[in-house]
Amino acid sequence: MKKLILLTYLIVVIATDSIACKCGIYTTSLQAATQERYNSSDFVISAKVELVRDSLTKGNYFMEPGPYWRKGGYNVVINVKKAYKGEIKTDKIEITPSWLNCSQYFKIGDTYIIFGYINKKGEYTTDICSMNFSTDQKDRLRAFKKIKKKKT
């Protein structure tokens, strides 16, 4: 019985660890970490979350307004307010999640600074390791504005 419990524990620990999201640990300041993410991103934008799209159908079907989808989600259509880095040719884009534990959750109606990437399919994507943040987070916004002052 003890061997079965130990085996079950090991399976759970190994399986959990293998699917967990692991972001780099920042030992520097928030300012330096934000600068690093800015530099490594394909695009950096300010955008407001308009809606959550059903990523399984990818069509014009939108998720029914249940409790989860009413509040936000991972696969979002956003209105781009300003592009700080990269060429965004439209004012509305869809962020495609990776569907790993690292997918970024966005709240409908909130405005974010998004540090994103363009994947092999040409889709806009991001994740929680990219340091995206809501513009309500004043300390993060201050760090970002300092970077923008250096760039201009």
Side-chain angles (χ1 to χ4, degrees):
M1 184 66 175
K2 287 183 182 180
K3 288 182 181 180
L4 180 61
I5 292 172
L6 181 60
L7 180 61
T8 304
Y9 173 77
L10 288 174
I11 290 171
V12 168
V13 168
I14 291 169
T16 303
D17 190 43
S18 66
I19 61 171
C21 182
K22 293 185 180 180
C23 300
I25 297 172
Y26 302 107
T27 56
T28 59
S29 68
L30 175 60
Q31 182 73 34
T34 304
Q35 181 72 58
E36 176 188 316
R37 286 302 179 200
Y38 184 92
N39 293 343
S40 66
S41 297
D42 293 332
F43 65 92
V44 179
I45 58 174
S46 170
K48 185 174 182 176
V49 177
E50 182 179 302
L51 57 91
V52 177
R53 185 186 299 267
D54 176 8
S55 63
L56 299 176
T57 63
K58 288 292 243 180
N60 292 326
Y61 172 77
F62 297 95
M63 293 301 293
E64 292 297 322
Y68 170 77
W69 298 104
R70 191 177 301 128
K71 294 179 182 177
Y74 304 105
N75 197 310
V76 295
V77 175
I78 57 176
N79 289 319
V80 178
K81 292 183 167 193
K82 185 170 183 176
Y84 297 101
K85 180 182 179 183
E87 191 174 331
I88 307 293
K89 297 180 181 178
T90 180
D91 61 345
K92 192 177 286 194
I93 63 173
E94 182 171 347
I95 299 290
T96 303
S98 60
W99 289 112
L100 300 172
N101 285 352
C102 298
S103 293
Q104 175 78 45
Y105 179 86
F106 293 98
K107 186 175 176 188
I108 295 171
D110 281 5
T111 299
Y112 294 86
I113 301 296
I114 300 172
F115 300 82
Y117 306 93
I118 299 173
N119 67 19
K120 292 176 185 176
K121 296 178 185 176
E123 299 169 322
Y124 297 101
T125 187
T126 193
D127 57 46
I128 61 174
C129 296
S130 297
M131 291 187 60
N132 305 309
F133 63 93
S134 168
T135 54
D136 291 339
Q137 294 176 276
K138 300 303 179 194
D139 59 331
R140 304 280 307 276
L141 192 57
R142 268 192 303 279
F144 181 72
K145 285 181 178 180
K146 285 180 184 177
I147 291 170
K148 292 309 309 151
K149 280 185 178 180
K150 288 181 188 178
K151 299 283 182 201
T152 56

